[in-house]
Structures are given as structure tokens and as C-alpha cells.
Amino acid sequence: MLLLGCIKEVTDYELAISLPNGLSGFVPVTQVSDAYSKLLTKQVAQGELLEELNSLPDMFSPGTLVRCIVTSIEKSDDGRRSVKLSIDPKKVNKGLTSTALAAGMLLSGSVLSVEDHGYLIDIGVTGTHAFLPHQKAKNYIKAAKKGPDLKIGQNLNCLIAEVKNEGRVVCLSIDRSEVAASIATERQNWTLSNLLPGLVVKARVQKVAPLGIKLTFLSYFTGIVDFMHMDPEKSMSYSPDQVVKACVLSVHPTSRAVRLTLRPPFLHAGGAPRQLPGQRLGAVLEEATVKAFYKQFGAIFELDDGTLAFARLKHLSKTRKSFKPGAFKEGCKHKCRIIDYSLMDEMCIVSLKHQIIEARFLQYQDIHTGDVVQGKVVSLKPIGMQVKVADGIRGLVPSLHLSDVILKQPEKKYNIGDEVKCRVLECNPGGKKLILTLKKSLVQSKLPVLSSYEDAKPGLITHGFVVCAREFGCIVKFYNDVKGLVPKNELGSEPISCPDKVFYEGQVLKVMVLKCEPQQERLLLSFRVSRTPGPEDKWKYTPKEKQEVKYQIGEIVDVKILKKKDNGLEVSILEDEDNVVAWIPTLHLSDFVATSKLLWHCLREGDVLPGVMYLSDKGEHIILSRKSAVISAVQEEQVVRSFSEIQPGMLLTGYVRNVMPFGVFVEFPFGLTGLAPKVSMSDKFVTDTKDHFVVGQTVIAKVMSTDEEKQRVLLNLKVSECSSGDSAAESFALLNQYFKELKEIRDLLRRGDPSICELVPGKRVHLVVQDVREDGSALFSGSSVTGLTVTATRYHLGDKNIGPGEKRKALVLHVDALTSEVYVSLREELIKQRPKRVSMRS
């Protein structure tokens, strides 16, 4: 069967091809062309690289349309079918003869050789020599960006420009404008035996049906356009006898069935279908709307961005028995996940299966070095164990990594189908290479993952495994093939004369980084992680320095609350095997002082707080911060690490350390402080400094001047002086963070007192008067305010004379979650007023 396909992925050994109707196949490296296969055979025979043999990535690019022929359909052990294809012109064009060739024909060709004035092209037609002049190739070569010349084996979409000697010699063109303008006509004498995919034709609509359109073209040909290949812009407007442009998608050799597409990108020969933005693949969509349901095929959905997606029948439910057609009427909404993108259909492929929506991994790109993954044993071989991590994702556990000790008979420990817990040592999505380890010491390690030389900071302690033990020391390997040397003098506290007798290949050990040169990929290590540094050491550390090295300022950690104290939270840093205890002051829970107190009130011992930043190490405690503005400043390098870096005019993010009658002291990350004098505190006149700032408040300060001798910094806190320029964006960012934290507080409150979460300003409630105070205010109770103190001031009682026991309708004005107080109003003008809807553009 002949098909038009689109290259989806290119590796050294095969081309992954997207086929129509959501199918896919692959072209092995041996099925590119006859000339390319001969070069491969020659290289294998000689045992050395041939200069004229280029790799597939050097010749092919994703997104290119190619004509394919199905050579076989193979079934794998897990029941999956794989379609094996060929793009060899001898097979694709086998229906053509030299006498059938005509000017204007479009067909596949492959570069046979490079000549002085052009290229000899293999078009797969016996008895015909095809020549491509340089002049007709230069525009294509420039646009393809694959080098100055075409390469042997390169697949081309060729236009026959001239036919000589009854088809024995043809002159070709691959000029993109000429190819794009070509249309197959009756004069080119196409027949059902030699009709090729990729031909653009003028067709006439014969019949319009729910599942597609029947067309006639080239006088006596008929073909079908299925529902996935109608032009989305015109799918409802096709009518009999309408003339349209169409592109041949496939030709079946025995049934002679021809399928076509009306999608715009295919209506110019050599065009390219639209690609899917990378971040969309794997996305979970809460609501996809059913546009059409086809009981034999599946359903078409409209996604949140207006694009269409297709779900095959088997992906609409967990099993065929649980499938309910009634749930797929037009307009019904379903949760789904984008699992693939069909280039040939320009459509996302989605699944509604719960296990796929919830799946952690869909593609190799989802897996990261250091991830702990669950897998199933697929096979055991001498080189190691093959593990299935997810559908379409398999990894190799090398024999060295099957256990903490070397297994001589792994088949006694593992069986096919066993569930195993692994850790990712290396992942290369491009080459679909996934290397895993089953060593418990690595899988269960809570120490940092060392996956690049840049991460190897002096003092870092982590786990590695020995790959070599010799008289000079040990070579230790980490993740992503990072490796380093433990010299003989760093193997232990006592001298070790024969390292190969003490250490063994595959042994997991705790190591400390002494020195790293990332550019040279040189790493010096030590097994003496608990040693007391001495003055004779080449790299000198003090205990204080070692502790600071373990957690750098700005490092983000997750923590668990151990104890709540009046002025903060005592926490333990998660994934730290030393169970380091740290301290988060209450005022460092948020940029907003009021929110900080609320968060402290809502949090409980045992709660986990993610994304907390290491701020400093003062006295007996490590100090952490959750202030998002301070964290952003450190991560974006908008900070100064020493006094010498401070320059007048700088804008720095900090927090109020103390409020004095003469000004405000502001502290910044890395321990620097400055003073904002009373005159530089506000754009308004300042009478009392405490009316303007409170301790713990996050501020942006502008450096006015520095005194290096006295180590003093004078600051300006006036809003007019401290804006970076886009004040509106800054304000919206602050508001966004404020509401985000309020939502977090509301979610926390729901655990203890869900009723207070339902009370929001503007809500109307029914209350019962409990008491009228001497000052004219009143206290209320009600089923919706149980356990809360509800008050209305005299003004907000309006003109009403009320007494205990009376039922009244009230409007919530303010809710103080910290004191469990609710303020309401009984004034008619507020209760009757309808809330205004705010549109997105207002």
C-alpha cells in the first residue's frame, strides 16, 4: 500500500513516520534507497567510516512529507502492531515505466551520485536515467539548510521538467516554487497502477455523507475524503458538483481505493503540516467538547484553544463493556489528555482513559535524571534487564546495577513481569535511551543527585558507585555519566595500600566533592566525608564552612513542621538524611505581614511546606523564608553578596528589620543591612515612623549612598523612587501573589472551620439578633456563622430598631479569620444592590 507520510522523528537508525488517520510507522536505515544501502554495506565490510556516507539526521528533517510503501506489519510481544515502511524509489515508483513518464509529473527520487553539473537521481524506473541540474537544486539546498550539496541517499520530491528519448532520459527539478505549483492532469496519463500519493489534483464532489466525501478526479478516478481530512473551515459547506483541490493520501494496490485530503497545507506539493507546540503534548484538559461521534472509529473533540482532537474508540473508556455511547453526544464535555499529535491529520490524539490521564510518564521527555520510577521486568539478557516504565517507554538496567552486589544468576532473583522500583541514571529523549539502577543504596538515597559537573560544588556530599579500583585510587561514577577520582590518600582515614582488594566494581559509597573543574570535566573526590579538616589539607574547610556549603543561600527546600512556637515554626528539611532542623520566623511566611500571621494560625504540626528558601545560618538555627519577592530576587540574581557590590541607584528587595523614631532598618539576603532615614521613608510627610512600616514587611529599597569605611548604607523607601519602571505590572504581580496566598489560607481553614470559608464579602446571610450593645452595635448568630462573632456597628444597622430574637437579612462586609470575627451590614441600599460583574477586558 502506498501512503503519504510526514517525518516525525529522525534517529541514526530509522525514521519515525506519521501516517494518515492517527497511524504511525518507521523506515529502517536499510529502506532509504538502493545507493544508501550499498554505502552502508561497504562501510560494514571495510570497518571504517566512509566520507560519502551521511547519517539520517544529516539528510532528513522532521516535518518533511515523504511517499512510503508498506513492506510489512509486525506484531510485538505486548500485542502492539508496528508498520514497517520503505521510501526507496524502486519500491515506491514500481508502477511507473519509462514510456509512462511525462513532463509535469511529480514523483519520488533519491540522490544516486554527485556529478560536475548536477546530480544523478534514482527514480526507480528501469531503463531511465534521471538528471538534476545544479540550477534546479540550489534554491532547495539553501532552504533545507543541510549543507552546500545534496547527499547520496537523500530523498527528494522531483518534478519532471523534460523527457527525452522516449523516457530513457529525464531532466528533473526540485525547485520549491515549481514543485508547489504542480498539479496532476489527464495529459500525464496517470493510471490506478502507477498513481502516487502526494499528487495534487482538481476534483469534483460527487457525494457528501456524514463520514466523508466521495470525489471524482483525473476524469475517471474516484476517491474518498474521510471526516478527518475535510478542511475544518469548510467542513459544513461542501455540496455535489463543487470543484475542489485535493491531495492523494493513499492508494491501495488490490482494492484500488484512493483516499484524499482537503486540508490546506497538503494542497501545494511539498508543503508541510502544522506542528504541535511542544508544551501541549501530555497536557491534561479538564473540559474537551464533543464535536462528533463515529461509532466505528471514535470521537472528535474541540479543545480549550479551539483546535480539534481525535480519540480512538479504545481510548474513550477503560474497557469496551464500560463504554457508553450516550456520553458522547455533541456538546458533552470530558476530561482528557493529549497523548500524541498526528502530523498527517493536523490533529491532537487524546485519551479519556483514567490510567493515562493520571500516568506520570507519557514520553521520554517526561523522565528526568534522578527520578524514582516503577517498572515491570520485560526481559533478562547478559547485558542487563529490560524494564517497561510506561507504554512506549523502556529502560535498561545494566548487569552492574541489578543489585547492591554483583548477581551471578539474576534470573533467580527476578522474573519476567516482576514489579521493580528503579532510579534513573541517565535519560536521553532524542535517542530514546533510558539507563536505570536497582541498587537500593541509590534508589533510597536522600542525598542530592549529582548529574552535571556544574552541580559538583566543593563540600557536596552524595552517593556514587565505584567503576574502577586501581593502585592510584578509585573512579566513582554518578548520574548522567559524571565521574571523578578519589585519590589514594582520600580513600580512608587509614592508609590503603591495595584499593582493588578493599573496593569492588559497583559498590555504592558516600563521597564528598573536594574540587571540580567543569570545563575540563575533572572532579576530585574523597571517601573521608566525616573527617576533621586539618591545616595540612590542600582544600581547607572549617565546620562552619562545611555547614554553609551543604545549603547555599537561595537553595529551595521542602520542609515539614515539627513544632509551632509563638514567633515562628520549627521545621525539618525533607530529603536530608541528617534530619536538619531549621526555623521559619512567622514574619517570613509571606511578603504580607497580615497574611504571615494568618498562615501561622492555620498551619499545623506535620504540614509540609514546599518551596522554602535557605536564607541564613544565625546562631543555633538555619533561617528559612517563604517570602516570594525575596526568593525571586535571589533566584534572578537581583541581590548583592558583599558590601563592595553595592552601588548607588540599585533597587534591592529586603524586609524591615527594625522601626526606629529616626528611620527604618532594612535587611537584605546575604546579611547586609541599610537605613532609610525618616525623610526618605515615604512620599507623604512622616510624623510617626510606626504608622508607615512594621517589622517583617517586605520592601523594595533604592540605594542612596554608601560609606565603605563605616560599612553603612543609606536607603530610600519612597514609592516614587523605588519603581523599576513598569509599576502596573509590579502591582498586579503583588496582587496576584496576595490572592494566591489567600486561597492557600482558605484551603487550610477548611480543615478546621469550613463555615468561615463560605463567608465572603458581599454574601447575603440570614441571622438572628443576639444582643444590642450600649454603643448601638449588635451581635448576631445563625446556622451559617456557628462559632463566629458576628457584629454590625450602629451605622450598619441603618434606621432599623431591632431586638434580641429577631430574624434579619444581612450582608457580609469583612471576615477576620484570625479572630473569628465577621462584620455585617443591615442597610437596605447595600443588601438590595446587585453585585457588578467585571469582564476580563474592563
Side-chain angles (χ1 to χ4, degrees):
M1 184 176 184
L2 287 168
L3 295 153
L4 185 65
C6 184
I7 298 174
K8 193 174 183 180
E9 201 175 328
V10 184
T11 66
D12 286 334
Y13 301 107
E14 66 180 33
L15 305 174
I17 306 291
S18 170
L19 299 173
N21 300 106
L23 299 174
S24 58
F26 70 97
V27 178
V29 70
T30 53
Q31 292 294 329
V32 171
S33 78
D34 197 32
Y36 194 74
S37 294
K38 285 177 180 176
L39 284 178
L40 286 172
T41 305
K42 184 179 177 183
Q43 180 168 286
V44 171
Q46 291 184 0
E48 58 183 42
L49 296 175
L50 297 179
E51 189 178 337
E52 63 269 34
L53 181 64
N54 290 276
S55 67
L56 295 184
D58 287 336
M59 298 192 295
F60 296 93
S61 301
T64 307
L65 293 175
V66 288
R67 293 180 187 84
C68 319
I69 186 167
V70 178
T71 57
S72 65
I73 298 175
E74 299 170 357
K75 197 172 183 179
S76 60
D77 298 335
D78 58 2
R80 287 170 166 260
R81 293 175 184 270
S82 61
V83 182
K84 192 174 178 182
L85 306 165
S86 174
I87 57 171
D88 186 345
K90 280 186 169 55
K91 294 177 180 176
V92 173
N93 298 337
K94 64 180 180 181
L96 288 169
T97 61
S98 56
T99 54
L101 299 177
M105 272 187 166
L106 202 63
L107 71 172
S108 294
S110 176
V111 178
L112 191 61
S113 65
V114 182
E115 307 297 330
D116 291 340
H117 301 289
Y119 306 89
L120 286 179
I121 305 296
D122 177 11
I123 59 171
V125 179
T126 306
T128 298
H129 296 280
F131 182 71
L132 172 64
H134 280 305
Q135 189 66 25
K136 294 291 185 179
K138 65 178 184 179
N139 288 342
Y140 175 89
I141 293 169
K142 188 177 179 181
K145 297 178 181 177
K146 290 288 183 183
D149 291 300
L150 298 176
K151 300 167 179 69
I152 294 174
Q154 193 164 346
N155 191 271
L156 303 170
N157 197 14
C158 304
L159 179 72
I160 298 179
E162 190 179 359
V163 179
K164 299 177 181 177
N165 299 335
E166 296 178 342
R168 287 192 288 275
V169 177
V170 295
C171 190
L172 305 174
S173 172
I174 58 169
D175 185 277
R176 293 202 167 193
S177 58
E178 292 180 23
V179 170
S182 68
I183 290 184
T185 63
E186 290 86 347
R187 286 191 300 173
Q188 292 165 8
N189 297 322
W190 292 104
T191 66
L192 278 171
S193 59
N194 64 23
L195 191 67
L196 292 173
L199 296 179
V200 177
V201 297
K202 283 187 178 177
R204 187 178 296 275
V205 176
Q206 193 176 51
K207 185 181 178 182
V208 180
L211 290 177
I213 301 171
K214 190 174 183 180
L215 301 175
T216 59
F217 61 99
L218 297 178
S219 299
Y220 58 90
F221 290 89
T222 58
I224 299 294
V225 177
D226 64 42
F227 61 91
M228 292 178 75
H229 281 275
M230 297 183 200
D231 184 348
E233 303 289 325
K234 304 173 183 175
S235 57
M236 302 301 291
S237 61
Y238 294 111
S239 59
D241 287 329
Q242 183 181 346
V243 176
V244 293
K245 261 177 103 174
C247 176
V248 177
L249 276 184
S250 64
V251 183
H252 199 282
T254 52
S255 67
R256 304 297 191 193
V258 180
R259 291 191 173 268
L260 303 100
T261 180
L262 300 178
R263 287 185 164 269
F266 299 94
L267 302 184
H268 298 283
R274 288 185 289 267
Q275 302 269 350
L276 176 75
Q279 67 272 18
R280 291 286 282 174
L281 195 60
V284 176
L285 307 171
E286 292 297 328
E287 288 189 343
T289 308
V290 178
K291 294 292 287 181
F293 173 65
Y294 305 96
K295 61 183 180 181
Q296 293 179 321
F297 305 104
I300 299 283
F301 293 86
E302 185 177 358
L303 305 185
D304 52 6
D305 59 356
T307 57
L308 297 180
F310 178 66
R312 297 185 186 93
L313 209 56
K314 68 177 182 179
H315 279 281
L316 293 178
S317 62
K318 190 173 182 180
T319 61
R320 283 189 176 273
K321 290 182 180 179
S322 63
F323 177 63
K324 297 175 182 176
F328 295 94
K329 292 178 181 176
E330 188 175 352
C332 291
K333 296 183 184 294
H334 293 273
K335 187 177 181 179
C336 67
R337 188 172 191 179
I338 299 174
I339 59 172
D340 200 358
Y341 180 72
S342 174
L343 286 162
M344 285 304 296
D345 305 310
E346 295 186 303
M347 202 176 279
C348 294
I349 307 298
V350 297
S351 176
L352 279 64
K353 285 188 174 183
H354 178 75
Q355 65 267 37
I356 290 178
I357 292 173
E358 299 299 323
R360 187 179 170 197
F361 307 117
L362 274 184
Q363 51 183 344
Y364 284 90
Q365 284 84 346
D366 298 333
I367 301 176
H368 302 101
T369 302
D371 281 350
V372 176
V373 300
Q374 290 287 138
K376 188 177 283 187
V377 178
V378 176
S379 64
L380 281 162
K381 296 178 181 178
I383 60 166
M385 177 197 292
Q386 195 174 35
V387 174
K388 179 184 175 183
V389 176
D391 284 343
I393 301 177
R394 294 192 178 193
L396 175 71
V397 181
S399 53
L400 183 69
H401 283 274
L402 291 172
S403 175
D404 277 324
V405 295
I406 303 298
L407 296 180
K408 291 183 179 178
Q409 294 177 303
E411 62 277 2
K412 289 187 176 181
K413 183 173 181 177
Y414 299 106
N415 296 307
I416 307 300
D418 283 356
E419 292 281 344
V420 289
K421 190 176 183 180
C422 319
R423 196 162 197 176
V424 178
L425 284 176
E426 189 179 343
C427 184
N428 177 7
K432 293 188 177 180
K433 178 184 176 185
L434 181 62
I435 307 297
L436 307 166
T437 181
L438 281 167
K439 290 181 180 291
K440 277 191 177 179
S441 308
L442 291 176
V443 175
Q444 297 175 357
S445 173
K446 301 296 182 185
L447 293 177
V449 170
L450 183 54
S451 59
S452 72
Y453 288 95
E454 286 73 18
D455 292 338
K457 305 297 181 189
L460 176 77
I461 296 172
T462 186
H463 280 119
F465 56 94
V466 177
V467 292
C468 173
R470 296 286 187 273
E471 66 279 357
F472 54 79
C474 289
I475 303 293
V476 177
K477 215 171 187 181
F478 305 95
Y479 297 83
N480 275 348
D481 208 32
V482 173
K483 49 186 174 285
L485 169 68
V486 182
K488 202 170 181 177
N489 63 316
E490 293 292 343
L491 293 175
S493 53
E494 298 295 326
I496 295 174
S497 56
C498 299
D500 56 319
K501 293 183 179 179
V502 178
F503 303 99
Y504 60 88
E505 190 181 8
Q507 184 178 1
V508 177
L509 292 163
K510 198 182 283 187
V511 295
M512 182 170 72
V513 175
L514 295 180
K515 188 178 181 182
C516 183
E517 297 173 356
Q519 290 185 340
Q520 286 76 34
E521 295 191 349
R522 290 171 59 185
L523 185 57
L524 193 63
L525 307 164
S526 173
F527 286 154
R528 298 162 64 195
V529 293
S530 57
R531 67 189 176 106
T532 303
E536 73 281 356
D537 289 337
K538 189 172 181 180
W539 293 274
K540 295 179 182 179
Y541 300 93
T542 65
K544 176 73 176 174
E545 286 175 334
K546 280 184 72 176
Q547 190 171 2
E548 286 179 349
V549 164
K550 187 169 185 181
Y551 290 100
Q552 303 288 336
I553 291 176
E555 190 172 344
I556 303 298
V557 295
D558 296 345
V559 299
K560 184 178 182 180
I561 299 172
L562 298 176
K563 197 170 184 181
K564 285 179 71 173
K565 295 186 178 180
D566 290 342
N567 57 343
L569 304 171
E570 190 173 280
V571 300
S572 66
I573 298 175
L574 297 177
E575 297 189 359
D576 189 308
E577 65 178 12
D578 297 325
N579 294 317
V580 172
V581 175
W583 178 253
I584 307 178
T586 299
L587 295 174
H588 272 279
L589 286 171
S590 169
D591 284 317
F592 311 97
V593 175
T595 309
S596 296
K597 293 174 181 176
L598 265 173
L599 275 167
W600 183 93
H601 174 76
C602 299
L603 289 165
R604 298 175 182 174
E605 290 174 8
D607 283 350
V608 172
L609 291 176
V612 183
M613 185 183 78
Y614 179 90
L615 186 66
S616 65
D617 184 359
K618 293 185 178 179
E620 59 183 308
H621 279 304
I622 289 172
I623 309 297
L624 306 176
S625 178
R626 266 187 104 231
K627 287 179 176 287
S628 61
V630 176
I631 292 171
S632 296
V634 174
Q635 290 181 334
E636 293 168 13
E637 292 295 317
Q638 302 295 317
V639 289
V640 287
R641 287 175 165 75
S642 63
F643 192 90
S644 59
E645 293 181 19
I646 302 176
Q647 299 293 330
M650 278 184 168
L651 289 176
L652 301 172
T653 302
Y655 39 91
V656 175
R657 183 176 171 182
N658 207 351
V659 181
M660 305 297 287
F662 53 85
V664 172
F665 285 99
V666 179
E667 186 171 356
F668 303 101
F670 298 91
L672 297 166
T673 58
L675 171 67
K678 194 173 179 179
V679 293
S680 302
M681 279 176 53
S682 174
D683 290 305
K684 297 177 182 178
F685 181 74
V686 178
T687 305
D688 188 345
T689 53
K690 290 182 179 178
D691 291 340
H692 293 264
F693 291 94
V694 293
V695 173
Q697 183 177 344
T698 304
V699 294
I700 295 175
K702 184 176 183 178
V703 178
M704 293 170 63
S705 62
T706 59
D707 186 337
E708 194 161 351
E709 188 178 335
K710 295 180 180 178
Q711 295 281 292
R712 289 180 182 171
V713 182
L714 283 182
L715 306 169
N716 191 330
L717 294 176
K718 291 180 180 180
V719 174
S720 59
E721 294 285 332
C722 296
S723 173
S724 62
D726 194 351
S727 56
E730 290 172 355
S731 301
F732 278 118
L734 281 170
L735 270 175
N736 185 46
Q737 182 61 28
Y738 178 71
F739 287 123
K740 184 179 175 183
E741 290 180 7
L742 279 186
K743 184 181 182 300
E744 182 185 4
I745 290 167
R746 193 175 294 279
D747 292 339
L748 290 168
L749 281 170
R750 280 197 176 94
R751 300 184 301 184
D753 186 9
S755 63
I756 200 168
C757 300
E758 305 304 319
L759 294 171
V760 292
K763 184 170 182 176
R764 291 158 178 77
V765 289
H766 293 279
L767 303 172
V768 177
V769 180
Q770 286 293 306
D771 188 24
V772 180
R773 294 169 174 165
E774 289 181 3
D775 62 0
S777 63
L779 290 174
F780 299 85
S781 65
S783 59
S784 60
V785 292
T786 307
L788 304 174
T789 304
V790 184
T791 310
T793 62
R794 183 175 180 177
Y795 171 81
H796 279 288
L797 291 176
D799 301 322
K800 296 181 177 67
N801 292 317
I802 60 172
E806 290 181 18
K807 292 182 179 179
R808 294 286 178 174
K809 194 175 183 180
L811 184 88
V812 177
L813 296 175
H814 175 66
V815 181
D816 190 340
L818 205 57
T819 58
S820 297
E821 292 180 348
V822 180
Y823 297 90
V824 299
S825 176
L826 273 64
R827 296 184 72 89
E828 286 294 331
E829 64 268 28
L830 291 178
I831 295 172
K832 289 181 178 178
Q833 188 176 18
R834 290 188 176 183
K836 293 181 179 178
R837 290 187 177 273
V838 181
S839 67
M840 290 295 288
R841 295 182 181 178
S842 64

